[in-house]
Amino acid sequence: MKKIIAFIGSSKGEKSSTAQFARLILENVLEIYEGETDFEVITSDKVNIKPCRSCLNCFRYCQCPQDKDDDMTAIKEKLLEADFIIWGSPVYAHQVSGQMKTLIDRLSYWLHIYKLAGKPGMVLATTSSTGHIEVLSYLAKIMLYLGMKAVKGYWVITDFQGLTPCEEDMQKKGKEAAAVIADYLSGKKKVTASPVSEKIFKALKSSILLSRKEKPGEYEIWEKEGYFECDSFSDLLEKKGV
Ligand SMILES: Cc1cc2nc3c(=O)[nH]c(=O)nc-3n(C[C@H](O)[C@H](O)[C@H](O)COP(=O)(O)O)c2cc1C
């Protein structure tokens, strides 16, 4: 059973056009992918994610004290179990929504410990006119630093009521996006290292080696997972069985 998880940074629930776009893509995946698939679309209003308090416990000890008080433990488990991850955000003032950013802030320390390395992802944005480039590139950048690969980004124009004036465009992109996802679920395509992901790995490895005292948690994970033995990000992916 392949699992797909979509997190949408909109509080409009069922009425969110970003969530509707994600659902359309995933329903198309169910139609074209022959294997068993299960998907979940989570909108930010359905979960409790507290804003980061900047205590730095996560970077130091790889634990967030707030995880026990909100839904982050469950969200992290879903992300870890997923075979494919979608992040979607409405454009808010030319960037991701605050709801989307709050999730990313709470996952910040995962940017250093490759929990999601090798997972394919897709990024989505909806907008009434502009800002989608900023949103898509930001979400793709975060996935890259998590060791994932945003294999594609899609955006659609909507209006403030969550209606899609360009229905035809959304249907077309929905089909295209589903075909991309199906290729990753079937193993026809997989995430590989890129020159940028190699550079990130090199910089991260030197920084973790130098900051054992300040961030013992991160160092411990690198040691336990055998990341220090890897000479490249490509080695790390191999170690993770990607
Ligand atoms: C607070 C807020 C800020 C917005 N900022 C922009 C913007 O900068 N540019 C734009 O084109 N649309 C902007 N929009 C419109 C939304 O991006 C658009 O309606 C989006 O599709 C809503 O997605 P949702 O239905 O998933 O919440 C904004 C909407 C809100 C509520």
Side-chain angles (χ1 to χ4, degrees):
M1 164 78 77
K2 298 287 183 187
K3 289 188 177 174
I4 310 174
I5 179 92
F7 181 87
I8 308 297
S10 168
S11 301
K12 283 160 64 183
E14 300 287 309
K15 290 199 176 122
S16 155
S17 32
T18 322
Q20 285 169 29
F21 186 31
R23 248 179 248 115
L24 170 76
I25 293 171
L26 294 170
E27 276 153 17
N28 282 327
V29 171
L30 292 191
E31 270 180 32
I32 60 166
Y33 178 64
E34 285 170 2
E36 264 191 274
T37 322
D38 184 32
F39 75 75
E40 187 179 4
V41 178
I42 302 173
T43 48
S44 52
D45 57 310
K46 301 287 187 293
V47 283
N48 174 20
I49 307 178
K50 293 179 189 279
C52 168
R53 292 191 313 212
S54 193
C55 67
L56 300 180
N57 245 284
C58 63
F59 290 121
R60 287 194 188 112
Y61 308 113
C62 291
Q63 271 173 6
C64 173
Q66 301 204 92
D67 280 4
K68 61 177 177 1
D69 302 323
D70 66 13
D71 293 326
M72 275 309 287
T73 302
I75 292 172
K76 283 174 174 170
E77 270 166 25
K78 286 173 199 269
L79 291 170
L80 289 170
E81 281 171 8
D83 297 287
F84 199 99
I85 296 171
I86 295 179
W87 281 352
S89 177
V91 172
Y92 277 9
H94 295 270
Q95 250 306 343
V96 294
S97 64
Q99 296 92 317
M100 190 72 225
K101 186 64 169 63
T102 301
L103 172 84
I104 293 171
D105 291 349
R106 291 286 299 278
L107 291 174
S108 289
Y109 71 108
W110 279 15
L111 298 167
H112 299 168
I113 55 176
Y114 287 125
K115 285 267 187 197
L116 299 176
K119 288 192 193 278
M122 183 172 278
V123 293
L124 307 177
T126 64
T127 170
S128 14
S129 57
T130 55
H132 49 286
I133 305 287
E134 286 84 348
V135 167
L136 293 179
S137 43
Y138 177 67
L139 293 176
K141 181 177 183 179
I142 295 301
M143 283 191 173
L144 174 72
Y145 275 77
L146 286 166
M148 298 173 59
K149 184 179 178 193
V151 297
K152 203 93 189 182
Y154 291 96
W155 62 281
V156 286
I157 296 270
T158 62
D159 72 6
F160 282 95
Q161 283 90 53
L163 302 170
T164 44
C166 307
E167 183 64 28
E168 208 180 303
D169 184 48
M170 186 157 112
Q171 293 293 340
K172 187 174 152 262
K173 286 176 177 164
K175 284 203 166 70
E176 207 183 295
V180 173
I181 295 174
D183 278 350
Y184 280 88
L185 295 183
S186 68
K188 194 170 154 193
K189 285 194 180 152
K190 63 176 198 160
V191 172
T192 52
S194 67
V196 188
S197 57
E198 289 296 1
K199 266 193 186 167
I200 295 168
F201 173 81
K202 239 179 164 179
L204 205 50
K205 186 173 174 180
S206 340
S207 129
I208 303 277
L209 279 167
L210 288 172
S211 50
R212 183 176 194 173
K213 227 170 127 195
E214 299 80 30
K215 300 177 188 172
E218 290 184 357
Y219 189 96
E220 223 171 82
I221 287 187
W222 271 66
E223 204 166 40
K224 197 175 106 225
E225 298 293 330
Y227 298 161
F228 287 131
E229 293 151 27
C230 300
D231 291 324
S232 63
F233 184 60
S234 177
D235 283 354
L236 187 143
L237 289 181
E238 206 180 310
K239 196 174 259 301
K240 284 203 169 247
V242 177

